[in-house]
Amino acid sequence: MKDKEKLLLIDGNSVMFRAFYALHNVLEKFVNHEGLHTNAVYAFKNMLENILKEVQPTHVLVAFDAGKKTFRTEKFDDYKGGRNKTPTELSEQFPAVKEFLDAYGIKYYELSNYEADDIIGTLAKQAENNGFEVTVVTGDRDLTQLVTDNITVDVTLKGVSEIEHYTPSHVEEKFGLTPSQIVDMKALVGDSSDNYPGVTKIGEKTAIKLLTQFGSVEGIYENLDEMKKSKMKENLINEKEIAFLCKDLAQIRQNAPLEISLADTLWEKENISELADYYRKMDFKKFLAELLSKNGDEIQSPDLKTKIEVTELTEDLLAQLDLNTDCVYFNLEMDGDNYHTAPFIGFSVEINSKLYASDNLELLKNSQLIRLLEDSSVKVNVFDGKRQYVGLNRLGISLTNIDFDLLLVSYLLDNSENSNDLGLLAQEHGYFDVTADEEVYGKGAKRQIPTGEELFEHLGRKVRAISMLKNQLFAKLKENEQLDLYVKIERPLSLVLAQMEIQGIKVDANRLEQMQSEFKERLSEIQQEIFNEAGEDFNLNSPKQLGVILFEKLKLPVIKKTKTGYSTAVSVLEQLRGMAPIIDNILEYRQLSKLQSTYIEGLLKVISGDQKVHTRYTQTLTATGRLSSVEPNLQNIPVRIEEGRKIRQAFIPSHKDWEIFSSDYSQIELRVLAHISDDQNMQESFNEGHDIHASTAMRIFNLNDQSEVTPNMRRQAKAVNFGIVYGISDYGLSQSIGITRKQAKQFIETYLDTFSGVKAYMHDIVKFAEEHGYVETISHRRRYLADIKSRNFNQRSFAQRTAMNSPIQGSAADIIKIAMIKMQKVLKENNLQAKMLLQVHDELIFEAPKEEIPVLEKLIPSVMDSAVSLNVPLKVESKHGITWFDTK
DNA sequence: TACATCACG
DNA sequence: ACGTACGTGATGTAT
C-alpha cells in the first residue's frame, strides 16, 4: 500500500508578510546587486524548508491573493479598507518569490475575485475528500475554521520560527469553540484588520458564551425570543443584517472555481541550475553554497563563498614572514564551551591582509608571534576576547591589547539576537562567507573536527570575518553613542572577568561530602515517611506522580494547574499545609533534595584539580546587561534559608590565614530609580539616609512619623518598591503580599501620587520605547523592545514592564561593572594581595590576607560608591569571615 | 528537548 | 477583556 498522500497549502501573502517583518530590522542589509530587497524571500525560503522537512508532503501549493478587488469587496465596500498600503520593499518581492517557487519546483496559484484563503479552503476540501492529509500554513488565525481531523492549520507566531498547530482539539481548547464556529464568532465580534464590524458591544468573551449556548449565529437568532431584555439583545436585533453579512465575509469558500486540480500540486524536484542562478541573482551566497555542496557534481564552476587563500603556517614560513604590523586578527580555536579546560584545535591569524592557520600549537611559542599578541602597540582583533584571553593564558601568553571584539560589540549593538557562534553572528551582520561551527564540526555523536585544509580554511574564514566587520560595527557603535560603553566598560571588564575566572574560588570538598552523607540519611527518612503517608511508593522527584498522589489519591484541593497537569509548586503546597502531614514532609524533601543535587553534588562535580571552581561569566547573554555565571553558577548559591546557607561554609580562601571579604550595594536599583526618575521624594529619602522601605510606608499609609510604621506596613511597602522596579501590576503585587487586587491597586495609586517623578518616568519611558523601539541605561546600553507596539495585550504589557525595568536593572549592572574595573586597578596600584573572585549582581566577593582586611574595609566601599555619580548617594556594606558563610 | 521546579539578585 | 511581576542557571522527569 502506498503511503498516505499529504498536501501542504501555504498562504503566500500572509507568510511573506510575516517573513518580511521577521527580518525587518535588517531590511537594508538584504538588498541585492540590482537594488532589490530580498529579506522576505530569504526568510520565506528558510521557513518553507523547515515546514517541508517537518510535514514531508507529497503535494504543495502556495496560494496568493490576486488583487484588492474580490467578491467580498463587492458585498461590502469597505472590506479590508483602511489597511496600510503594503510597503514597496515587500511588494517588490512577490515576483521574486514566485520566481523562487518556479525554480524550487513548487506550484503557486492565484485566482481573480478570490482571496488566497478561498483557494486554500477549496483545495483542502478536495484533498480531504480524496483521502489526503492536509496541512495549512498561515499567519492568520481565521483559517483555523478549516480545521478537521484531516486538516491541520499551522499558524506562525513570533517571526517565522515558532508555529502553533491547530487540530480540532486545540481549537476547542484555545477558543472554546469548534472550528466551524470560528466563522460565527467572527460574525459577532468583527475583524478590525479586515475591517468589518460585527455586532456592537460583542467581544470575544460574549461571543463564546452565546455560541456555546446556541451553537451558531443562526441558532442565536432562532432563540432570540428566549433571551431576556438587554442592551445586547437590542444590538443583536438591530444588527441582524450586519451579523449575517459578516458571517458571509468571514466564511472561507470551499467551492472556488479553480482552474487547477489536486494533481497539479504534486511537488516536483527543484531545478538545481535554475535555483543556483536564482540565488546568484539574489546574492544569497549561503544558500548557493549549501545548494552546490549538496549537488556539487551536477554543476560546474561552483561560485561558492568568496574564495579565500589560507596558508598553513609552519616554523619555516614563520621565520621568513614579515610580522611588522600594528594590527592583527587572531583566533585561538578550542574544542568545547569550557575554555578553562577545552583542548586546543589550532589558531588562525590575518596579518597584512594575508590569512594563516595552523593546528600546531607549538608555533605559539614563537617569540615574534607572541610579541604580536602581547605588545601594546599591536591591536589585536578577536571574537570573544575573554575566551581568547583565558585560552592564551593557558599557553603562557598574556593578551592585553584587544581592539575589536566581534562578539562583545555585536552584543552591545543588539542583545536580542545574539548567538555565540562567529559564523551565525557574522551572517546577522550581512557577512556570509564564514560557516557556522556546527556545520563544520557537527554535533553530538557526529561531532568530528576536520584536519588539514578544511580546518585551516574554516579558521581562516573566521579571522577574515572579524576583519571584514570591524569598521562597519565600530561605526554603528559610534552612531549609537555606545563607543564609551564598549571602550570604557565592556572591553576592559572582559579582561577583569577573565582574571577572576582564572583565579577561581577554593571549595572544601570534605565539608560538602560531610553534608552529603547527612542529607542522604535525612532524605531517605523523609521519603519513607512520605511513602507511608501516601500509602504507596512513587517517584518523589516527579511533579506528575506527586500530583496524582496529592490531588487524586488524597483528594486535596487543586489550587493551580500547569500546562501539563497539577501544579505542586511551593506556593501551592504552602496553601495545603495543615490539611495533611504529608505536605510538610514534601516541602522539606524538596528543599533538601535541591541542596543535595544542585549544590552539593553539582558543586562537587565541577571542582578542578586545584581544589577550586572556575565559573565562566557570560558577558554577552542577558537582555539587561547583567552577567550570568555557569559551570558552576556561583550567582545562586543559597543564602535565604539557614540550612542552605551552610553550603557557603564550603567556599574558603585559597591561602592559610586569609579571609573571604564581601561588599554589597544597598538598594542599588531603587537608588538608580531615584536618579533616573528624578523623583524628589525618593531622592530626599536617600539623601537623608532614611530607611527607604519605612519612608515609602509612611507615604503610602499616610503616616506622620516613622514610629507609626509597623513591621507589616514596612513589609508591604518593601513589596511595593520591588513591584515598582519590576514594572508594577496590581495582580503581581497582590500575589506577592497576599492582599486583594483592589487593595494592591489602591497601594499603587497612592504610591504613584506621592512619587510623581516615578509616575512620570514610567509613562515617559514607555513613550520613549514606542518612539525609538528601544530603551537605554545610563551608559547607553540598549534593549530593543520588538513587542512594544504589539496588538497582543500580553506581549505589549510585557514589553511595557520591560521598558520600565530594563533601564533600572541595566544601569545597576553598568555601575557594578565600572566598579569592578576600578577595583582591579586599585588593588594592583596599592600592591594588595587581595583578589576579586566573584560578582553576584550587586555584590563583590574577595579573598585577602587577614592583615589587609582593615585596608579593604575602607578601600573597597570607597571604590564602589564612587563608581558613578548619581544624584543620590550609593551605599555599600561590607562583611568578612573565614568562609563565605561567615561573611555576615 | 521541553517543562516544572527552585536557587539567587 | 486580556493574565502578569524583572533578570538568570541547574536539575530531574517525561517526551
Side-chain angles (χ1 to χ4, degrees):
Chain A
M1 207 181 80
K2 73 172 179 177
D3 283 346
K4 195 161 182 178
E5 294 182 295
K6 270 194 184 172
L7 171 64
L8 171 65
L9 292 166
I10 295 173
D11 182 343
N13 288 73
S14 156
V15 173
M16 277 294 279
F17 197 78
R18 288 287 172 126
F20 178 71
Y21 284 104
L23 292 182
H24 192 243
N25 56 341
V26 285
L27 177 61
E28 293 311 321
K29 281 184 202 148
F30 282 85
V31 180
N32 76 351
H33 58 269
E34 295 170 2
L36 176 76
H37 289 91
T38 60
N39 66 328
V41 181
Y42 184 92
F44 184 94
K45 187 259 185 192
N46 277 332
M47 193 185 183
L48 176 69
E49 290 191 337
N50 286 337
I51 298 164
L52 289 171
K53 208 161 124 195
E54 196 184 309
V55 178
Q56 307 238 350
T58 54
H59 295 64
V60 188
L61 182 106
V62 181
F64 288 103
D65 295 337
K68 243 187 132 177
K69 209 173 80 55
T70 65
F71 70 88
R72 287 190 179 86
T73 52
E74 261 164 52
K75 290 174 191 256
F76 183 62
D77 274 354
D78 248 3
Y79 181 74
K80 293 203 175 171
R83 272 205 183 181
N84 290 333
K85 201 175 165 305
T86 310
T88 52
E89 294 89 342
L90 171 56
S91 52
E92 71 188 24
Q93 295 185 56
F94 280 95
V97 77
K98 290 174 183 171
E99 224 178 291
F100 163 73
L101 291 169
D102 279 331
Y104 209 83
I106 286 179
K107 292 288 184 316
Y108 56 86
Y109 184 64
E110 57 189 57
L111 177 61
S112 68
N113 236 8
Y114 286 85
E115 294 184 54
D117 293 5
D118 303 305
I119 299 173
I120 290 173
T122 306
L123 274 173
K125 182 86 175 175
Q126 284 179 17
E128 182 176 39
N129 291 341
N130 283 285
F132 279 56
E133 236 177 76
V134 183
T135 301
V136 175
V137 177
T138 176
D140 186 349
R141 283 209 167 75
D142 292 359
L143 273 91
T144 53
Q145 64 180 269
L146 298 174
V147 168
T148 69
D149 287 338
N150 307 308
I151 304 176
T152 311
V153 174
D154 287 357
V155 177
T156 60
L157 305 170
K158 213 168 106 182
V160 285
S161 50
E162 276 176 47
I163 279 180
E164 189 170 12
H165 297 280
Y166 283 88
T167 57
S169 61
H170 188 64
V171 171
E172 187 93 50
E173 192 183 307
K174 185 95 183 181
F175 305 112
L177 297 171
T178 64
S180 65
Q181 287 176 316
I182 300 283
V183 183
D184 298 281
M185 174 155 92
K186 306 234 44 150
L188 297 169
V189 178
D191 185 317
S192 58
S193 78
D194 287 349
N195 200 39
Y196 54 85
V199 178
T200 308
K201 289 279 174 198
I202 296 191
E204 219 172 287
K205 276 282 141 81
T206 320
I208 290 172
K209 220 176 85 195
L210 288 170
L211 289 171
T212 315
Q213 199 178 349
F214 302 113
S216 65
V217 171
E218 288 79 1
I220 292 170
Y221 281 97
E222 276 161 25
N223 294 289
L224 215 48
D225 298 340
E226 290 173 25
M227 241 185 256
K228 61 176 188 233
K229 193 170 179 289
S230 71
K231 191 77 196 158
M232 181 180 79
K233 183 174 175 181
E234 221 173 280
N235 289 332
L236 280 167
I237 293 169
N238 291 338
E239 299 174 21
K240 182 170 178 181
E241 241 178 77
I242 296 174
F244 280 94
L245 172 66
C246 291
K247 180 162 178 175
D248 190 35
L249 292 174
Q251 183 79 54
I252 291 173
R253 298 301 187 263
Q254 301 205 294
N255 57 356
L258 306 185
E259 297 132 328
I260 53 162
S261 71
L262 217 45
D264 294 328
T265 67
L266 188 71
W267 183 18
E268 289 163 15
K269 208 169 154 350
E270 75 245 75
N271 181 329
I272 292 166
S273 69
E274 213 179 306
L275 198 52
D277 283 343
Y278 177 78
Y279 288 156
R280 286 199 189 90
K281 179 184 141 187
M282 298 294 277
D283 295 336
F284 289 163
K285 293 179 193 163
K286 190 186 132 206
F287 294 160
L288 182 64
E290 283 167 7
L291 180 73
L292 297 177
S293 72
K294 258 186 259 158
N295 306 283
D297 308 342
E298 298 181 34
I299 259 188
Q300 297 188 334
S301 78
D303 163 25
L304 288 168
K305 294 190 163 73
T306 309
K307 278 238 171 63
I308 58 159
E309 207 175 298
V310 185
T311 311
E312 179 178 0
L313 199 59
T314 60
E315 233 23 287
D316 292 346
L317 180 56
L318 202 48
Q320 321 164 5
L321 269 187
D322 175 15
L323 297 179
N324 192 10
T325 178
D326 59 0
C327 179
V328 296
Y329 301 84
F330 179 84
N331 181 53
L332 174 64
E333 191 78 348
M334 289 173 261
D335 184 3
D337 292 330
N338 191 343
Y339 47 69
H340 292 296
T341 56
F344 298 112
I345 294 173
F347 68 94
S348 56
V349 58
E350 180 181 312
I351 306 169
N352 296 326
S353 304
K354 287 234 169 58
L355 296 170
Y356 304 95
S358 170
D359 55 7
N360 179 7
L361 274 300
E362 290 295 308
L363 294 181
L364 286 175
K365 290 182 178 159
N366 177 291
S367 61
Q368 289 308 303
L369 214 44
I370 292 175
R371 186 191 63 82
L372 284 180
L373 298 171
E374 292 194 334
D375 193 328
S376 63
S377 66
V378 181
K379 290 176 174 170
V380 184
N381 305 285
V382 295
F383 176 87
D384 196 351
K386 178 157 65 69
R387 184 180 171 91
Q388 295 295 310
Y389 181 97
V390 175
L392 287 170
N393 181 262
R394 287 164 56 196
L395 295 165
I397 299 171
S398 165
L399 177 64
T400 42
N401 195 29
I402 295 176
D403 187 33
F404 174 60
D405 180 338
L406 173 56
L407 176 66
L408 203 45
V409 170
S410 299
Y411 169 72
L412 297 181
L413 287 173
D414 188 351
N415 56 19
S416 59
E417 349 191 351
N418 59 331
S419 165
N420 267 329
D421 183 274
L422 193 157
L424 299 177
L425 206 60
Q427 281 174 34
E428 276 169 30
H429 295 294
Y431 183 81
F432 297 98
D433 285 344
V434 55
T435 318
D437 281 339
E438 204 176 293
E439 219 175 294
V440 180
Y441 300 152
K443 68 166 178 179
K446 287 192 194 137
R447 191 173 168 90
Q448 172 77 54
I449 311 290
T451 54
E453 289 296 317
E454 195 186 345
L455 175 67
F456 301 151
E457 177 174 341
H458 181 55
L459 298 187
R461 285 184 184 280
K462 284 195 170 186
V463 288
R464 177 53 55 82
I466 298 167
S467 90
M468 294 296 283
L469 289 169
K470 176 174 173 175
N471 290 338
Q472 176 193 335
L473 297 198
F474 263 147
K476 279 194 192 160
L477 273 186
K478 201 170 168 195
E479 188 185 318
N480 289 359
E481 299 183 299
Q482 292 181 302
L483 216 46
D484 271 3
L485 172 63
Y486 175 66
V487 171
K488 296 194 178 150
I489 303 182
E490 296 296 340
R491 189 174 65 189
L493 181 73
S494 68
L495 301 189
V496 172
L497 292 173
Q499 291 164 56
M500 290 164 66
E501 293 177 10
I502 291 168
Q503 187 67 33
I505 183 165
K506 189 166 173 183
V507 175
D508 180 353
N510 290 333
R511 179 79 191 92
L512 289 178
E513 278 157 6
Q514 183 192 342
M515 293 173 84
Q516 185 180 30
S517 60
E518 284 167 21
F519 281 8
K520 196 174 161 196
E521 206 166 305
R522 181 75 190 122
L523 277 166
S524 73
E525 280 171 25
I526 305 170
Q527 172 165 307
Q528 202 47 57
E529 276 181 47
I530 292 172
F531 290 167
N532 289 341
E533 284 155 357
E536 65 181 284
D537 289 9
F538 62 99
N539 188 340
L540 245 178
N541 292 320
S542 162
K544 199 177 162 196
Q545 294 184 31
L546 179 62
V548 172
I549 297 286
L550 294 181
F551 304 113
E552 289 175 19
K553 187 162 183 188
L554 300 179
K555 305 234 183 300
L556 292 167
V558 177
I559 311 262
K560 199 168 108 187
K561 287 197 141 197
T562 66
K563 276 185 215 174
T564 52
Y566 311 110
S567 169
T568 65
V570 167
S571 64
V572 171
L573 297 181
E574 295 275 340
Q575 294 180 62
L576 297 172
R577 256 198 159 128
M579 300 173 86
I582 195 172
I583 300 293
D584 277 323
N585 281 325
I586 292 167
L587 284 166
E588 192 181 353
Y589 179 89
R590 279 264 178 87
Q591 218 178 76
L592 287 181
S593 80
K594 176 83 181 178
L595 293 176
Q596 183 80 310
S597 65
T598 303
Y599 295 103
I600 295 180
E601 288 165 356
L603 219 41
L604 283 168
K605 271 186 228 160
V606 292
I607 298 177
S608 323
D610 56 6
Q611 299 177 48
K612 290 177 172 181
V613 289
H614 300 268
T615 187
R616 298 192 314 281
Y617 289 101
T618 19
Q619 196 184 349
T620 56
L621 182 141
T622 68
T624 53
R626 275 190 175 182
L627 302 175
S628 85
S629 155
V630 294
E631 255 187 281
N633 179 355
L634 294 179
Q635 293 181 317
N636 71 347
I637 302 299
V639 66
R640 292 170 192 172
I641 293 165
E642 184 65 14
E643 188 116 50
R645 188 174 200 151
K646 288 196 175 134
I647 299 284
R648 295 180 174 223
Q649 290 171 339
F651 289 85
I652 56 178
S654 63
H655 302 286
K656 195 166 169 285
D657 294 324
W658 282 39
E659 286 198 345
I660 302 290
F661 186 98
S662 150
S663 294
D664 67 284
Y665 283 110
S666 151
Q667 285 126 14
I668 188 165
E669 292 192 343
L670 285 173
R671 286 169 199 266
V672 166
L673 175 59
H675 173 80
I676 58 184
S677 68
D678 210 26
D679 185 282
Q680 296 305 307
N681 284 330
M682 216 171 176
Q683 286 183 7
E684 187 191 306
S685 283
F686 283 125
N687 283 326
E688 300 192 355
H690 293 149
D691 172 343
I692 184 69
H693 300 314
S695 83
T696 302
M698 281 172 61
R699 296 187 192 272
I700 62 178
F701 294 106
N702 199 15
L703 310 175
N704 293 316
D705 194 279
Q706 191 163 336
S707 63
E708 296 170 46
V709 177
T710 66
N712 194 43
M713 286 174 175
R714 187 179 180 282
R715 186 183 68 86
Q716 297 195 332
K718 189 173 170 181
V720 172
N721 280 331
F722 267 96
I724 292 293
V725 168
Y726 293 156
I728 199 147
S729 76
D730 49 15
Y731 179 87
L733 180 62
S734 72
Q735 288 295 299
S736 103
I737 45 177
I739 54 175
T740 68
R741 215 168 138 165
K742 212 171 151 190
Q743 284 172 305
K745 198 168 172 205
Q746 185 57 53
F747 275 179
I748 294 166
E749 271 170 27
T750 320
Y751 179 98
L752 292 176
D753 284 344
T754 346
F755 295 96
S756 58
V758 174
K759 187 176 184 177
Y761 162 76
M762 297 295 176
H763 176 262
D764 295 347
I765 194 75
V766 170
K767 272 272 163 292
F768 182 95
E770 284 168 357
E771 198 173 312
H772 297 91
Y774 68 88
V775 290
E776 62 181 0
T777 67
I778 55 173
S779 304
H780 301 293
R781 182 191 307 284
R782 289 188 180 191
R783 177 165 188 181
Y784 288 91
L785 296 166
D787 291 336
I788 196 76
K789 289 181 179 169
S790 170
R791 272 88 55 212
N792 179 307
F793 177 89
N794 283 326
Q795 288 177 3
R796 189 176 63 249
S797 304
F798 185 68
Q800 288 169 346
R801 292 196 297 273
T802 311
M804 301 177 204
N805 170 265
S806 291
I808 302 173
Q809 193 182 113
S811 298
D814 294 346
I815 293 169
I816 195 166
K817 283 177 169 181
I818 294 167
M820 290 168 75
I821 297 161
K822 283 195 179 175
M823 190 70 71
Q824 195 80 323
K825 197 163 152 252
V826 168
L827 289 179
K828 197 173 168 193
E829 283 168 358
N830 287 274
N831 288 319
L832 291 163
Q833 291 174 267
K835 294 281 185 303
M836 183 159 58
L837 303 182
L838 305 175
Q839 188 251 43
V840 192
H841 309 307
D842 63 357
E843 175 182 20
L844 295 175
I845 292 131
F846 304 79
E847 62 176 3
K850 271 186 185 146
E851 58 273 19
E852 288 184 5
I853 299 289
V855 181
L856 299 180
E857 277 185 311
K858 290 211 171 76
L859 187 65
I860 291 175
S862 81
V863 169
M864 288 172 74
D865 68 29
S866 65
V868 295
S869 165
L870 305 182
N871 49 29
V872 289
L874 287 172
K875 189 175 163 199
V876 175
E877 288 168 350
S878 304
K879 301 156 291 186
H880 61 96
I882 54 167
T883 74
W884 194 4
F885 177 85
D886 300 288
T887 60
K888 53 176 186 179

